[in-house]
């Protein structure tokens, strides 16, 4: 697969405070690009809603995150979904368990939100879920495989489409092996491979350690003389070893680490060079 196909229909993410970054990056992001809106503990629903509305107004497809264990009550979830629907930005969401070890309310995991029936009630049509090619520091691999299968089955029962968005990685081999195993298990949703946007090596390592992402010598290959790292090597490996017959539909999701403009400019420059 060449770079042009690899970069077709990629997605990005932003936080509620990235409105200025979004405006500055608008010229380098293709219209219709999916922009995921993160669910950070220190940002309230109004901030997330404003970010989703701004993404829609800029010509993009907002994908607000729902962090299950951070939701204090069913009412909290319904109010946020109702606000998204009223603003015309409820079509797509990304549902994730979230960081807290103990749920703040009635939703212990993303499956419980899907099974609530509230998503489709408030106009949601597509739901992305998380995938973990290199595992999770606090969850056994068998549990992770059961979770992605259970969530996929629940989405089908609720007539909801969606993608699987993976944690970011530095090595293509474990990602592609995981996707091949996913297909062998009969799970054929499109996969958006998590890609680390350009960032300082220290920041990448910290995020990787928190998420249980393998680094090893590969991160050294990413780091430039300026101390920053870009995903070019990772993307070239994906483009070389991706096989549609084995891996199915694969796209990219860029984690921006607060640098939406820097990431979009990097993608734009990389696409022009390849």
């Amino acid at each position: 697969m060449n770079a042009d196909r690899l970069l077709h229909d990629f997605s990005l993410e932003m936080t509620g405070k990235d409105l200025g970054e979004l405006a500055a990056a608008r010229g380098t992001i293709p219209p219709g690009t999916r922009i995921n809106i993160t669910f950070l503990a220190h940002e309230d629903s109004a901030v997330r809603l404003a970010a989703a509305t701004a993404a829609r107004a800029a010509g993009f497809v907002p994908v607000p995150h729902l962090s299950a264990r951070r939701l204090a009550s069913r009412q909290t979830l319904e109010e946020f979904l109702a606000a998204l629907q009223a603003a015309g930005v409820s079509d797509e969401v990304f549902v994730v368990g979230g960081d807290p070890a103990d749920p703040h309310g009635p939703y212990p995991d993303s499956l419980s939100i899907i099974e609530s029936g509230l998503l489709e009630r408030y106009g949601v049509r597509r739901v992305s879920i998380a995938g973990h090619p290199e595992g999770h520091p606090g969850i056994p691999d068998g549990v992770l495989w059961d979770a992605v299968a259970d969530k996929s089955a629940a989405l089908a029962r609720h007539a909801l489409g969606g993608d699987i968005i993976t944690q970011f990685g530095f090595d293509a081999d474990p990602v592609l092996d995981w996707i091949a195993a996913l297909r062998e298990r009969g799970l054929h949703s499109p996969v958006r491979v998590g890609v680390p946007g350009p960032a300082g090596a220290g920041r990448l390592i910290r995020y990787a350690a928190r998420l249980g992402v393998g680094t090893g010598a590969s991160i050294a290959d990413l780091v430039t003389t300026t101390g920053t790292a870009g995903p070019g090597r990772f993307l070239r490996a994906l483009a070389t070893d991706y096989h549609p017959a084995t891996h199915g539909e694969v796209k990219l999701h860029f984690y921006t680490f607060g640098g939406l403009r820097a990431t979009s400019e990097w993608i734009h420059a990389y696409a022009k060079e390849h």
Side-chain angles (χ1 to χ4, degrees):
M1 179 171 63
N2 60 34
D4 287 343
R5 284 191 61 191
L6 188 66
L7 289 171
H8 175 69
D9 192 24
F10 64 84
S11 54
L12 295 159
E13 68 176 35
M14 65 178 288
T15 69
K17 67 181 181 181
D18 287 338
L19 296 182
E21 287 267 316
L22 179 67
R26 186 173 180 177
T28 55
I29 303 175
T33 296
R34 285 171 173 79
I35 307 288
N36 283 34
I37 316 298
T38 59
F39 196 108
L40 300 181
H42 63 275
E43 293 179 346
D44 62 22
S45 295
V47 171
R48 301 177 194 116
L49 178 63
T53 303
R56 175 72 80 195
F60 308 124
V61 177
V63 184
H65 288 198
L66 300 174
S67 182
R69 286 188 287 275
R70 291 194 184 279
L71 294 168
S73 65
R74 179 184 175 95
Q75 180 180 351
T76 301
L77 175 57
E78 287 208 63
E79 288 177 350
F80 186 49
L81 290 172
L84 293 176
Q85 186 178 42
V89 292
S90 67
D91 293 349
E92 301 196 28
V93 298
F94 174 58
V95 181
V96 66
D99 292 333
D102 298 313
H104 296 173
Y107 304 108
D109 51 32
S110 49
L111 179 61
S112 60
I113 290 182
I114 296 169
E115 293 284 35
S116 73
L118 294 176
L119 298 179
E120 57 268 42
R121 183 181 302 178
Y122 287 96
V124 176
R125 296 293 175 263
R126 291 181 60 82
V127 179
S128 295
I129 59 176
H132 300 84
E134 296 187 68
H136 187 285
I139 306 174
D141 286 349
V143 175
L144 290 173
W145 279 118
D146 288 345
V148 74
D150 291 345
K151 287 182 286 188
S152 297
L155 290 174
R157 287 195 301 274
H158 289 265
L160 294 166
D163 302 338
I164 300 172
I165 302 177
T166 76
Q167 65 192 150
F168 72 86
F170 303 108
D171 292 313
D173 287 347
V175 174
L176 291 171
D177 288 347
W178 181 86
I179 297 173
L182 187 79
R183 303 315 186 199
E184 289 173 359
R185 285 169 164 79
L187 301 172
H188 299 291
S189 297
V191 173
R192 290 186 176 271
V193 173
V195 180
R203 173 174 284 194
L204 288 179
I205 291 172
R206 287 194 299 274
Y207 273 96
R210 191 180 80 181
L211 297 174
V213 176
T215 55
S218 60
I219 195 168
D221 297 332
L222 296 172
V223 180
T224 69
T225 56
T226 63
T228 60
R233 173 182 172 275
F234 179 63
L235 296 187
R236 288 190 294 272
L238 279 176
T240 299
D241 295 332
Y242 163 74
H243 302 289
T246 300
H247 302 111
E249 187 175 358
V250 173
K251 300 179 181 181
L252 301 178
H253 176 75
F254 286 86
Y255 291 87
T256 62
F257 309 115
L260 178 62
R261 180 179 182 180
T263 301
S264 66
E265 289 176 348
W266 187 95
I267 297 168
H268 186 71
Y270 184 86
K272 288 179 67 175
E273 293 171 2
H274 296 78

